[in-house]
Amino acid sequence: MKKLALLLCCVFALQLASAQEHGIINNSESPYVKLKSVDMGDCVWTDGFWAEKFDVAKNSMLPYMESLLTGDTGHALNNFKIAAGLKEGKHKGMRWHDGDFYKFMEAYMYMYAQTKDAEILKKLDGWISIIEQAMLEDGYLQTQIQLNDKVNRYENRKYHEMYNTGHLLTSACIHYRITGQKNFLDLAVRHADLLYTLFMPEDKHFGRFGFNQTQIMGCVELYRTVGDAKYLKLAEKFINNRGQYKVEETPETQGYPIGDMVQETTPLREEDEAVGHAVLALYYYAGAADVYAETGEKALIDALDRLWYNVTQQKMYVTGALGQTHYGASSNRQLIEEGFLDAYTMPNTHAYNETCANICNSMFSKRMLDIKGESKYADIMELVVYNSGLSGISLEGKDYYYANPLRMINGTIDYDKMVTEFPERQPYLDCFCCPPNLVRTVCKLSGWAYSKPANGIAVNLYGGNKLNTTLLDGSKLELEQVTKYPWEGRVDITINKAKKAAFDVMVRIPNWAEGTKVLVNGKDAGVAVEAGKFATIKRAWKKGDVLTVDMPMDVRYVEGNTLIEEARNQVAIKRGPIVYCVESPDLPKDAKIMDIYLSSDKDFKPVYKKDLLSGVTSIETEVLVRKNNNDADMYKMVSKPEFEVVKSQLVPVYSWSNRGRAEMTVFMPIIWK
Ligand SMILES: [Zn+2]
């Protein structure tokens, strides 16, 4: 009998362990994490905003992207086939194209976790088989190098081997978690073992090789998946290498800016400012947060705290976007591209704001949320996913923006000279990093909606969904969220199954939601409710209990810090988590976007319109159009201008540019009455 009890105990413990290990980030055993991931598939969108976006991902974003990447336009699968000897031809696409294919596969994995569509697994197995055949005997796999006779492996960091590696490792770990199959994971292990032999020894050539460092996240996730500490050591090594070597042009760095551009001037633990390429920086910080989650090193989290503050309080756009410029200099006067300028330098029209950088901002904040358990990090995740993330793809799910400026004025940018900036979204981008990054984020977002504190559940993101999960003590929790968020502020969370003992339900009160009410079964919950914090309701929850979060959805003016010259005397309009813009289809035919002013005596009327832009709440209002604004000269004498009042509406910034080529602005000058 004792033996049987022991056996049952063991079986239960095993089930418990496995029930917690299928998160997007598997932090189930991470000692320095307060909020643990829910397993993929535990939360499924049911209705409303994210359910609709998830459907677009299933029916349009993924199939369309598949046609691109497995066909001749994207050529990504072709590259693997050619490397595998299954096809004749040459490598096409950017050097990071392998990584973009792994990201696309990852998106399909999240889709599978929620739909259990067996066809997806078949597709994945087919692609993994080709990838396996492309991998060399010693675990090396980089089609951009294998199919190029002129370069050797690990010759120059600009070839993005580290970036492709990171996405290979991450994608393989996710595949193992959702399927239990090792066919992809085994490839990742072989590949990472090769990396370990090359990059662990102290060596200046390999020491300066870190570049677009997704491999740090990948190595930590591999450590979490297979339990071998050498992959964590390797991840840490990639952090330790940065800032340890003299910043100078060497054969491994030629052809791409050095120093601040790739965050190698200052060691991370001493850094207090986000510099350089925004995507590189934020992937680096996200990876460092993963390392901290395992090691608890104080110097690392102190640096990440400083960097998170600098990024989100001194260099971030009102949409959550990052990377103020395409070309420029860091505050150390070093050449940078696609990245950060000085604090509070926030151009609108020339803002770069690569979709990837914006998404990386939310990835870094997700990790900080897990570590700290503070809702301010989820505020950033929410800001990004509703605004500067989603603006990277058309409502139909087939056209992409790489750059996401806050203003579009006809004639200011010569798009013929641009590589990644476009006046309208494009059906294919030669540089294809952003589209699969965004699509995988849409596909995985239900996995970010909840987290698990020590005793209960935390609600990070709102949206109609069902959650069926196992709490950290092994008890089952089932609940359902019903809401029209973000168009309406009321969220009803019904408990369908819960343990008898008391536990916490933490609900995020967004930083914009002052005046939120939290009710249990229609009565005030009697807990502290503060915007920008979690409200925690501890009680013995019963089946049928309804927790209501009622957030005020007033239309609000948002003003920039006075140090942001580019936003001076202007306001942006925000309602709930959604940032709005005014776009030329909602203005008189010949009105120029720079002649549009707001007046504080005009009312805002939010109206949900199901036939507008796939269903949005627009804000009906009157705007002022400045008359006779002759722009022939650079400067002109002016007296009080004349204005015409016109009826217009503001639309969510993520939905702009879906009605033909248009002008647009987020910040508008305001006349205070
Ligand atoms: Zn990108």
Side-chain angles (χ1 to χ4, degrees):
M1 194 63 193
K2 259 189 191 167
K3 269 187 188 164
L4 181 65
L6 191 65
L7 185 69
L8 285 174
C9 245
C10 287
V11 168
F12 179 68
L14 273 176
Q15 278 178 342
L16 191 59
S18 66
Q20 310 291 347
E21 289 174 356
H22 300 98
I24 296 163
I25 300 169
N26 178 9
N27 51 21
S28 57
E29 301 292 324
S30 306
Y32 300 95
V33 162
K34 287 191 174 146
L35 297 178
K36 308 278 184 172
S37 300
V38 294
D39 285 353
M40 286 178 274
D42 280 6
C43 173
V44 177
W45 302 117
T46 50
D47 191 29
F49 191 90
W50 289 114
E52 288 162 18
K53 299 298 171 205
F54 189 81
D55 275 349
V56 176
K58 185 168 75 177
N59 299 322
S60 171
M61 291 181 194
L62 276 171
Y64 176 68
M65 192 172 285
E66 182 181 341
S67 73
L68 292 174
L69 292 182
T70 64
D72 294 334
T73 304
H75 201 74
L77 188 64
N78 286 349
N79 289 335
F80 287 108
K81 284 181 180 169
I82 297 163
L86 302 169
K87 189 178 171 76
E88 296 281 313
K90 289 181 178 168
H91 182 275
K92 281 190 208 161
M94 299 292 179
R95 294 152 181 165
W96 45 94
H97 216 37
D98 289 4
D100 298 335
F101 192 73
Y102 302 136
K103 260 185 284 181
F104 155 71
M105 291 172 69
E106 196 187 327
Y108 253 134
M109 293 169 200
Y110 299 128
M111 182 59 63
Y112 171 77
Q114 292 157 85
T115 62
K116 297 289 186 285
D117 175 0
E119 287 301 309
I120 294 175
L121 289 191
K122 268 193 219 162
K123 278 184 199 176
L124 290 169
D125 277 341
W127 296 330
I128 292 165
S129 166
I130 294 165
I131 290 167
E132 182 177 7
Q133 294 172 72
M135 181 175 268
L136 300 180
E137 193 57 36
D138 65 354
Y140 186 78
L141 175 57
Q142 304 281 347
T143 67
Q144 79 283 19
I145 305 292
Q146 288 163 246
L147 302 180
N148 184 347
D149 294 336
K150 294 188 183 120
V151 289
N152 295 314
R153 58 165 80 177
Y154 302 118
E155 180 181 300
N156 186 313
R157 62 189 187 187
K158 73 180 178 187
Y159 291 109
H160 281 73
E161 284 153 295
M162 295 290 104
Y163 174 85
N164 290 341
T165 286
H167 287 301
L168 169 61
L169 303 187
T170 300
S171 190
C173 289
I174 298 293
H175 183 255
Y176 173 69
R177 279 176 208 162
I178 59 153
T179 62
Q181 292 175 209
K182 288 195 165 175
N183 48 339
F184 204 12
L185 184 65
D186 286 344
L187 304 184
V189 168
R190 273 170 61 192
H191 186 75
D193 286 349
L194 172 68
L195 231 61
Y196 187 82
T197 62
L198 296 173
F199 286 85
M200 267 320 271
E202 204 61 49
D203 180 291
K204 190 182 168 193
H205 172 74
F206 289 110
R208 283 195 73 199
F209 223 81
F211 180 75
N212 197 344
Q213 309 217 74
T214 62
Q215 84 277 10
I216 301 175
M217 282 181 286
C219 284
V220 177
E221 223 51 67
L222 190 62
Y223 158 69
R224 289 164 169 165
T225 308
V226 301
D228 189 335
K230 73 179 186 183
Y231 304 122
L232 177 60
K233 290 271 172 235
L234 184 58
E236 215 171 6
K237 177 74 175 162
F238 286 121
I239 296 171
N240 299 345
N241 281 342
R242 311 304 284 160
Q244 299 304 322
Y245 297 94
K246 188 176 174 193
V247 176
E248 57 183 350
E249 277 281 12
T250 55
E252 63 267 7
T253 69
Q254 275 167 5
Y256 206 79
I258 59 174
D260 278 349
M261 170 71 171
V262 297
Q263 300 83 36
E264 64 174 346
T265 308
T266 310
L268 184 68
R269 294 172 181 85
E270 297 166 26
E271 188 58 277
D272 56 12
E273 185 189 6
V275 292
H277 195 294
V279 178
L280 273 57
L282 270 291
Y283 274 143
Y284 184 19
Y285 307 157
D290 279 339
V291 170
Y292 170 80
E294 305 303 326
T295 65
E297 184 195 338
K298 186 171 183 308
L300 212 48
I301 195 65
D302 287 349
L304 293 174
D305 281 341
R306 294 192 299 273
L307 289 165
W308 188 86
Y309 177 82
N310 178 248
V311 166
T312 63
Q313 297 300 311
Q314 297 179 312
K315 298 197 175 188
M316 186 179 78
Y317 283 92
V318 70
T319 55
L322 298 182
Q324 299 113 301
T325 192
H326 193 156
Y327 301 103
S330 70
S331 55
N332 297 319
R333 305 297 163 243
Q334 295 180 16
L335 176 69
I336 65 112
E337 293 175 8
E338 306 185 307
F340 292 111
L341 292 171
D342 291 0
Y344 304 113
T345 305
M346 311 299 293
N348 291 305
T349 311
H350 294 273
Y352 195 62
N353 295 344
E354 179 181 343
T355 305
C356 279
N358 311 339
I359 290 168
C360 292
N361 191 21
S362 65
M363 290 170 67
F364 177 36
S365 275
K366 173 66 172 72
R367 285 158 172 80
M368 294 298 275
L369 169 72
D370 295 342
I371 289 166
K372 304 259 182 172
E374 293 172 34
S375 77
K376 65 180 182 181
Y377 301 105
D379 285 339
I380 299 294
M381 291 156 53
E382 177 177 79
L383 181 67
V384 169
V385 295
Y386 279 110
N387 299 293
S388 54
L390 215 45
S391 62
I393 197 161
S394 64
L395 297 170
E396 196 194 356
K398 294 182 176 178
D399 298 301
Y400 313 110
Y401 266 141
Y402 190 98
N404 297 275
L406 272 73
R407 184 174 288 154
M408 182 71 74
I409 315 170
N410 286 338
T412 50
I413 291 177
D414 182 354
Y415 289 102
D416 291 340
K417 291 181 181 162
M418 296 294 163
V419 184
T420 44
E421 289 98 328
F422 300 96
E424 292 182 83
R425 292 184 188 85
Q426 301 294 302
Y428 183 71
L429 301 173
D430 289 331
C431 179
F432 205 69
C433 52
C434 299
N437 207 8
L438 176 51
V439 171
R440 76 170 173 165
T441 305
V442 173
C443 290
K444 78 178 174 191
L445 201 64
S446 70
W448 281 5
Y450 296 90
S451 301
K452 297 175 190 172
N455 181 26
I457 196 81
V459 188
N460 305 322
L461 298 174
Y462 296 111
N465 68 66
K466 279 188 177 169
L467 176 73
N468 182 350
T469 196
T470 308
L471 298 183
L472 296 181
D473 64 0
S475 64
K476 291 281 177 199
L477 176 68
E478 290 179 27
L479 56 78
E480 183 171 7
Q481 220 183 100
V482 175
T483 180
K484 291 193 169 72
Y485 193 87
W487 311 126
E488 293 179 23
R490 184 185 169 111
V491 179
D492 289 314
I493 300 170
T494 303
I495 306 288
N496 290 330
K497 186 174 187 178
K499 64 179 176 180
K500 284 186 179 155
F503 64 93
D504 296 336
V505 178
M506 297 162 61
V507 287
R508 182 176 64 91
I509 313 301
N511 56 1
W512 48 262
E514 290 150 25
T516 294
K517 292 188 173 64
V518 176
L519 314 167
V520 175
N521 299 328
K523 290 183 187 145
D524 190 302
V527 297
V529 178
E530 194 181 331
K533 300 242 167 101
F534 279 111
T536 301
I537 305 97
K538 187 184 184 80
R539 61 183 259 134
W541 296 93
K542 290 188 187 66
K543 185 174 175 359
D545 280 349
V546 179
L547 170 60
T548 301
V549 184
D550 201 357
M551 293 163 268
M553 297 301 257
D554 304 324
V555 179
R556 305 284 297 268
Y557 295 119
V558 181
E559 184 181 39
N561 186 296
T562 52
L563 295 175
I564 307 174
E565 284 187 71
E566 296 89 339
R568 192 152 168 77
N569 291 334
Q570 298 164 72
V571 291
I573 302 297
K574 206 173 165 191
R575 180 175 181 269
I578 303 283
V579 178
Y580 282 79
C581 67
V582 67
E583 194 190 3
S584 42
D586 298 311
L587 296 171
K589 195 167 169 286
D590 297 323
K592 294 182 194 150
I593 204 76
M594 294 305 278
D595 286 336
I596 304 303
Y597 286 60
L598 294 176
S599 177
S600 65
D601 60 353
K602 305 299 179 196
D603 291 335
F604 292 125
K605 188 179 169 202
V607 183
Y608 182 77
K609 296 173 180 169
K610 72 176 170 48
D611 297 325
L612 177 67
L613 299 165
S614 298
V616 295
T617 292
S618 82
I619 298 173
E620 294 183 350
T621 188
E622 288 176 322
V623 299
L624 309 188
V625 184
R626 186 169 164 182
K627 306 300 290 177
N628 308 317
N629 189 10
N630 184 341
D631 251 351
D633 298 325
M634 188 149 183
Y635 300 100
K636 61 178 181 272
M637 302 300 167
V638 67
S639 50
K640 190 177 177 184
E642 285 175 38
F643 292 95
E644 183 188 355
V645 179
V646 300
K647 280 203 161 109
S648 184
Q649 66 179 346
L650 311 178
V651 295
V653 71
Y654 78 79
S655 70
W656 92 277
S657 191
N658 278 282
R659 294 176 288 174
R661 187 164 171 173
E663 290 194 319
M664 172 277 285
T665 186
V666 171
F667 277 103
M668 286 162 271
I670 183 162
I671 297 163
W672 296 102
K673 294 278 174 110

